[in-house]
Amino acid sequence: LYWGMNRSTAWYRRLDWWFVLILFAALATRILYLNHYRSLPDWSQLKVDHWYLHHWAQSLAGGNLVGDTTYFRAPLYAYLLGLLYAVFGDSLWIARLFGLAVGLMTLTLIYLCAHRAFGRTSGIVAASLYAIYPITIYFESEILADPLFALLLLAAIHCLLAWQERRTLGSLTLTAILIGFAAITRPTILVLVPFLIVWLSFSAGSHRKRVETISVILAGLAIVIAPIFVRNLVVARDPVLI
């Protein structure tokens, strides 16, 4: 018990309380915004992208998991939202609170990435700016895939920074998988993959390490993207990657 208490105290002391304060400020700001937003007619007037993703998620929550056409948009956001609708009901509050949670996780990753790359002060400043930036608060409250894409991209960057420090296959594999998830949220990220592979090849050193690094990246991407491609091929008979 004494050893456990010492561990707890050490964890408590390691916590960056300035960041915790920023996180709670960001949460309070977003709750106030949502509370105001729900009083406006715009709350329930879904536009093109919002309407499409909301109704797609409703269809998924109703059991239409496979569909019968090629994915018109990358599917990850809609599937996650559909899962939430299936569990909690298809309320617009659920969709917007999901965006709030994504935003707070993004804020955390901004802090961690900046802290890791440039130091604690940079992490605090970056997190503070994101916490009160009006554009991010707005988009997190909309039924759009962009906040989730930003979260997954930042998670991949954080894993890549970890790989730079330790050069472990685990960090590199997780980086590739997270990029794959980002790709099935917004496929435009795949444009950056060739540049990442070139950079990693130069950083790898020996030829064996270079081959190993490239193989890990391609395998991690394939694990996530291949099922989407196969689904489009089998269900819609259309060889569309995502």
Side-chain angles (χ1 to χ4, degrees), residues 6-98:
N6 281 346
R7 287 187 65 192
S8 177
T9 303
W11 169 84
Y12 178 87
R13 289 176 177 172
R14 286 198 303 271
L15 199 60
D16 190 334
W17 288 102
W18 272 110
F19 170 70
V20 173
L21 181 63
I22 292 167
L23 193 63
F24 274 102
L27 174 61
T29 303
R30 283 152 175 77
I31 289 174
L32 287 172
Y33 175 76
L34 285 176
N35 189 54
H36 171 68
Y37 190 10
R38 71 170 179 172
S39 66
L40 302 177
D42 302 55
W43 176 270
S44 58
Q45 292 178 3
L46 302 180
K47 301 174 182 65
V48 178
D49 291 346
H50 314 70
W51 187 93
Y52 182 84
L53 289 167
H54 174 63
H55 285 277
W56 186 4
Q58 286 180 320
S59 176
L60 291 166
N64 184 21
L65 298 178
V66 178
D68 57 2
T69 62
T70 307
Y71 285 136
F72 180 68
R73 292 189 175 278
L76 182 60
Y77 175 80
Y79 273 82
L80 291 177
L81 190 58
L83 175 62
L84 291 174
Y85 283 178
V87 175
F88 300 107
D90 58 352
S91 163
L92 292 178
W93 263 110
I94 296 299
R96 301 190 196 281
L97 287 174
F98 174 48

Side-chain angles (χ1 to χ4, degrees), residues 118-180:
F118 305 110
R120 178 181 176 273
T121 301
S122 295
I124 292 295
V125 171
S128 299
L129 291 172
Y130 186 87
I132 59 172
Y133 190 46
I135 296 298
T136 59
I137 296 172
Y138 167 77
F139 274 103
E140 288 165 11
S141 302
E142 297 302 313
I143 305 175
L144 294 169
D146 305 82
L148 178 63
F149 174 74
L151 172 65
L152 293 167
L153 182 56
L154 281 164
I157 290 171
H158 188 260
C159 288
L160 191 60
L161 291 171
W163 175 83
Q164 274 192 298
E165 293 175 5
R166 304 189 185 97
R167 300 297 173 107
T168 61
L169 280 180
S171 296
L172 192 61
T173 303
L174 189 54
T175 299
I177 290 172
L178 286 166
I179 292 173

